[in-house]
Amino acid sequence: MSYNLARGRGLVVPFTGNLNVTRADEGKIFRCDDTANVTVTFNRDLSVGFNCGFTMYSTGTVTLGASQGVTNLLAKTALSTRYQAGSMMVMQRTANFQGEADVGATIEYLVGGDFA
């Protein structure tokens, strides 16, 4: 019998305070343990298909904040009730590469679940 069933199905990462999601966070499920309101922002270098999840596990509110070059297509931005959960997935990306710098990338993402 394997006790590693959850491996590969989502890594639950507790956090408090504001959070900036990066490419290294692909597939993670962020569990907010903060009693205060927090803001989550996304880097604009995320790839198409990038996804992660969020759970409000305490009494604050998780709000998806605006970032330059990042568009939330549904404009649903908040988990405001304890135990609400939702996810995001990048649906489109455009890029403007100059050498090693990704200077003009934009991403569009969708949210699902309890985001309102």
Side-chain angles (χ1 to χ4, degrees):
M1 174 181 284
S2 174
Y3 292 98
N4 294 321
L5 183 62
R7 236 179 239 186
R9 293 186 183 214
L11 174 63
V12 176
V13 179
F15 79 99
T16 57
N18 295 335
L19 175 68
N20 183 51
V21 175
T22 69
R23 288 185 289 188
D25 296 322
E26 172 84 37
K28 292 179 182 175
I29 301 165
F30 293 101
R31 184 186 77 207
C32 183
D33 293 337
D34 208 319
T35 57
N37 298 340
V38 300
T39 300
V40 175
T41 55
F42 301 102
N43 282 1
R44 62 185 188 178
D45 65 347
L46 304 178
S47 300
V48 171
F50 176 95
N51 62 87
C52 62
F54 302 91
T55 301
M56 185 64 237
Y57 213 68
S58 192
T59 57
T61 296
V62 173
T63 301
L64 303 180
S67 301
Q68 183 178 354
V70 178
T71 303
N72 179 342
L73 295 172
L74 292 177
K76 295 181 176 185
T77 60
L79 298 174
S80 58
T81 304
R82 193 171 195 183
Y83 306 129
Q84 283 187 325
S87 61
M88 69 79 72
M89 180 182 292
V90 175
M91 302 305 294
Q92 184 169 330
R93 181 174 192 273
T94 60
N96 179 12
F97 293 99
Q98 292 182 0
E100 294 295 313
D102 190 357
V103 295
T106 62
I107 64 169
E108 296 177 344
Y109 69 93
L110 293 173
V111 296
D114 296 324
F115 279 104

